[in-house]
PDB file of all heavy atoms in Angstrom:
ATOM      1  N   GLY A 159      31.241 -33.712  33.121  1.00 84.00           N
ATOM      2  CA  GLY A 159      31.877 -33.367  34.345  1.00 84.00           C
ATOM      3  C   GLY A 159      30.889 -33.359  35.498  1.00 84.00           C
ATOM      4  O   GLY A 159      31.204 -33.868  36.624  1.00 84.00           O
ATOM      5  N   ILE A 160      29.677 -32.834  35.183  1.00 85.00           N
ATOM      6  CA  ILE A 160      28.615 -32.779  36.300  1.00 85.00           C
ATOM      7  C   ILE A 160      28.297 -34.211  36.714  1.00 85.00           C
ATOM      8  O   ILE A 160      28.282 -34.552  37.834  1.00 85.00           O
ATOM      9  CB  ILE A 160      27.367 -32.151  35.780  1.00 85.00           C
ATOM     10  CG1 ILE A 160      27.685 -30.520  35.424  1.00 85.00           C
ATOM     11  CG2 ILE A 160      26.265 -32.191  36.782  1.00 85.00           C
ATOM     12  CD1 ILE A 160      26.645 -29.903  34.630  1.00 85.00           C
ATOM     13  N   VAL A 161      28.029 -35.076  35.666  1.00 91.00           N
ATOM     14  CA  VAL A 161      27.613 -36.453  36.050  1.00 91.00           C
ATOM     15  C   VAL A 161      28.739 -37.118  36.753  1.00 91.00           C
ATOM     16  O   VAL A 161      28.470 -37.853  37.790  1.00 91.00           O
ATOM     17  CB  VAL A 161      27.151 -37.152  34.770  1.00 91.00           C
ATOM     18  CG1 VAL A 161      26.876 -38.623  35.142  1.00 91.00           C
ATOM     19  CG2 VAL A 161      25.973 -36.426  34.050  1.00 91.00           C
ATOM     20  N   ALA A 162      29.929 -37.047  36.277  1.00 91.00           N
ATOM     21  CA  ALA A 162      31.065 -37.684  36.930  1.00 91.00           C
ATOM     22  C   ALA A 162      31.244 -37.173  38.344  1.00 91.00           C
ATOM     23  O   ALA A 162      31.537 -38.001  39.355  1.00 91.00           O
ATOM     24  CB  ALA A 162      32.362 -37.404  36.167  1.00 91.00           C
ATOM     25  N   LEU A 163      31.158 -35.865  38.510  1.00 86.00           N
ATOM     26  CA  LEU A 163      31.332 -35.245  39.878  1.00 86.00           C
ATOM     27  C   LEU A 163      30.150 -35.719  40.880  1.00 86.00           C
ATOM     28  O   LEU A 163      30.487 -35.970  42.117  1.00 86.00           O
ATOM     29  CB  LEU A 163      31.427 -33.760  39.783  1.00 86.00           C
ATOM     30  CG  LEU A 163      32.709 -33.250  39.248  1.00 86.00           C
ATOM     31  CD1 LEU A 163      32.519 -31.745  38.865  1.00 86.00           C
ATOM     32  CD2 LEU A 163      33.876 -33.388  40.196  1.00 86.00           C
ATOM     33  N   VAL A 164      28.981 -35.873  40.378  1.00 88.00           N
ATOM     34  CA  VAL A 164      27.873 -36.289  41.222  1.00 88.00           C
ATOM     35  C   VAL A 164      28.130 -37.719  41.680  1.00 88.00           C
ATOM     36  O   VAL A 164      28.006 -38.041  42.919  1.00 88.00           O
ATOM     37  CB  VAL A 164      26.484 -36.122  40.474  1.00 88.00           C
ATOM     38  CG1 VAL A 164      25.482 -36.968  41.228  1.00 88.00           C
ATOM     39  CG2 VAL A 164      26.093 -34.689  40.251  1.00 88.00           C
ATOM     40  N   ILE A 165      28.628 -38.522  40.780  1.00 92.00           N
ATOM     41  CA  ILE A 165      28.946 -39.946  41.069  1.00 92.00           C
ATOM     42  C   ILE A 165      30.035 -39.931  42.157  1.00 92.00           C
ATOM     43  O   ILE A 165      30.114 -40.751  43.184  1.00 92.00           O
ATOM     44  CB  ILE A 165      29.326 -40.724  39.793  1.00 92.00           C
ATOM     45  CG1 ILE A 165      28.067 -40.880  38.945  1.00 92.00           C
ATOM     46  CG2 ILE A 165      29.807 -42.067  40.243  1.00 92.00           C
ATOM     47  CD1 ILE A 165      28.437 -41.521  37.501  1.00 92.00           C
ATOM     48  N   VAL A 166      31.108 -39.155  41.947  1.00 91.00           N
ATOM     49  CA  VAL A 166      32.186 -39.092  42.879  1.00 91.00           C
ATOM     50  C   VAL A 166      31.707 -38.624  44.236  1.00 91.00           C
ATOM     51  O   VAL A 166      32.136 -39.139  45.367  1.00 91.00           O
ATOM     52  CB  VAL A 166      33.337 -38.198  42.300  1.00 91.00           C
ATOM     53  CG1 VAL A 166      34.371 -37.808  43.467  1.00 91.00           C
ATOM     54  CG2 VAL A 166      34.061 -38.747  41.180  1.00 91.00           C
ATOM     55  N   LEU A 167      30.799 -37.676  44.306  1.00 87.00           N
ATOM     56  CA  LEU A 167      30.326 -37.070  45.543  1.00 87.00           C
ATOM     57  C   LEU A 167      29.590 -38.161  46.352  1.00 87.00           C
ATOM     58  O   LEU A 167      29.766 -38.370  47.504  1.00 87.00           O
ATOM     59  CB  LEU A 167      29.496 -35.863  45.234  1.00 87.00           C
ATOM     60  CG  LEU A 167      28.855 -35.284  46.479  1.00 87.00           C
ATOM     61  CD1 LEU A 167      29.916 -34.683  47.377  1.00 87.00           C
ATOM     62  CD2 LEU A 167      27.896 -34.122  46.104  1.00 87.00           C
ATOM     63  N   ILE A 282      33.238 -30.038  45.480  1.00 79.00           N
ATOM     64  CA  ILE A 282      32.563 -30.794  44.477  1.00 79.00           C
ATOM     65  C   ILE A 282      31.082 -30.107  44.102  1.00 79.00           C
ATOM     66  O   ILE A 282      30.774 -30.155  42.974  1.00 79.00           O
ATOM     67  CB  ILE A 282      32.456 -32.294  44.869  1.00 79.00           C
ATOM     68  CG1 ILE A 282      33.855 -32.850  44.911  1.00 79.00           C
ATOM     69  CG2 ILE A 282      31.565 -32.983  43.831  1.00 79.00           C
ATOM     70  CD1 ILE A 282      33.812 -34.321  45.445  1.00 79.00           C
ATOM     71  N   ALA A 285      31.837 -27.423  41.969  1.00 80.00           N
ATOM     72  CA  ALA A 285      32.281 -27.920  40.645  1.00 80.00           C
ATOM     73  C   ALA A 285      30.998 -28.256  39.826  1.00 80.00           C
ATOM     74  O   ALA A 285      30.942 -28.011  38.647  1.00 80.00           O
ATOM     75  CB  ALA A 285      33.202 -29.045  40.748  1.00 80.00           C
ATOM     76  N   ILE A 286      29.997 -28.911  40.477  1.00 82.00           N
ATOM     77  CA  ILE A 286      28.878 -29.349  39.785  1.00 82.00           C
ATOM     78  C   ILE A 286      28.111 -28.008  39.258  1.00 82.00           C
ATOM     79  O   ILE A 286      27.685 -27.943  38.042  1.00 82.00           O
ATOM     80  CB  ILE A 286      27.960 -30.108  40.644  1.00 82.00           C
ATOM     81  CG1 ILE A 286      28.588 -31.543  40.993  1.00 82.00           C
ATOM     82  CG2 ILE A 286      26.544 -30.288  40.067  1.00 82.00           C
ATOM     83  CD1 ILE A 286      27.884 -32.294  42.064  1.00 82.00           C
ATOM     84  N   ASN A 289      30.049 -26.430  36.404  1.00 80.00           N
ATOM     85  CA  ASN A 289      30.022 -27.063  35.113  1.00 80.00           C
ATOM     86  C   ASN A 289      28.606 -26.810  34.498  1.00 80.00           C
ATOM     87  O   ASN A 289      28.542 -26.781  33.269  1.00 80.00           O
ATOM     88  CB  ASN A 289      30.236 -28.597  35.281  1.00 80.00           C
ATOM     89  CG  ASN A 289      31.618 -28.972  35.319  1.00 80.00           C
ATOM     90  OD1 ASN A 289      32.431 -28.686  34.424  1.00 80.00           O
ATOM     91  ND2 ASN A 289      32.156 -29.477  36.381  1.00 80.00           N
TER      92      ASN A 289
END
Side-chain angles (χ1 to χ4, degrees):
I160 295 166
V161 178
L163 286 166
V164 168
I165 293 173
V166 167
L167 180 63
I282 295 176
I286 292 168
N289 276 302

